[in-house]
Amino acid sequence: MAGSQDMFDAIVMADERWVVGPGQRLPSAAEAARAWFHGEGYQEGYEEGNSLGIIEGRQYGTLHGAKIGSEIGCYQGFAFAWRCLLHSCTTEKDSKKMKALESLIGMIEKFPYDDPTYDKLHEDLDKIRGKFKQLCSLLNVQPDFKISAEGSGLSF
């Protein structure tokens, strides 16, 4: 029950809480009890819904944050592997690849992993995806990044 007031007091003292204008009647004890229970039910439902909403929102955020983290991690691993493969190449074509590779790595390192309120999060993520696609084109690879129930992966 709400506060220190019990159900019996709420019903018996209901007459004192109602303000009655001219030509109106006081509600019966049953009407007063119904109104009281309605208010109690609303309050309990609101509190439970709020609690469940917070839990559901946290689960949703965790799931989508993990997906984004997995995607970025895959891009980072891809970039580090190709940096190792291209480190000794010196042709002009390879320098263009290295420049795009370093640009991708720099974008990934600057990505705000720990700030979910960052207002340009999706914009930066789209830029990383674009740079990744550009790099794949330069390297002549066709990756297939997948997020599934078994885990995420990048295949060629």
Side-chain angles (χ1 to χ4, degrees):
M1 303 295 148
S4 63
Q5 188 179 31
D6 67 1
M7 183 173 35
F8 181 75
D9 283 341
I11 294 170
V12 172
M13 305 305 275
D15 291 348
E16 294 178 11
R17 288 195 316 266
W18 293 90
V19 177
V20 179
Q24 295 180 333
R25 65 173 184 82
L26 284 173
S28 67
E31 290 171 329
R34 194 174 313 120
W36 184 79
F37 280 118
H38 176 74
E40 262 312 285
Y42 174 83
Q43 186 62 35
E44 287 176 12
Y46 179 82
E47 290 169 2
E48 186 172 339
N50 193 29
S51 173
L52 290 174
I54 290 171
I55 292 168
E56 186 178 327
R58 186 172 292 130
Q59 290 171 345
Y60 182 82
T62 300
L63 175 68
H64 288 280
K67 286 180 182 179
I68 289 173
S70 178
E71 181 180 358
I72 299 266
C74 192
Y75 295 156
Q76 187 175 30
F78 176 86
F80 287 160
W82 275 98
R83 183 167 57 180
C84 289
L85 292 171
L86 295 174
H87 80 283
S88 61
C89 299
T90 57
T91 67
E92 184 180 326
K93 198 173 188 181
D94 290 332
S95 69
K96 189 174 182 179
K97 292 174 187 176
M98 282 300 287
K99 184 178 176 185
L101 192 57
E102 293 301 330
S103 175
L104 176 63
I105 291 170
M107 292 168 78
I108 290 170
E109 289 174 350
K110 291 178 187 172
F111 190 76
Y113 299 102
D114 56 353
D115 185 9
T117 61
Y118 178 63
D119 59 340
K120 294 184 178 180
L121 186 113
H122 291 287
E123 184 180 315
D124 286 355
L125 185 57
D126 286 341
K127 287 179 182 177
I128 290 172
R129 288 175 179 148
K131 185 57 76 172
F132 175 73
K133 288 178 183 177
Q134 177 190 19
L135 182 60
C136 287
S137 177
L138 287 170
L139 296 170
N140 199 24
V141 294
Q142 297 175 354
D144 184 18
F145 183 78
K146 294 180 182 173
I147 297 175
S148 64
E150 305 90 47
S152 64
L154 183 63
S155 62
F156 299 92

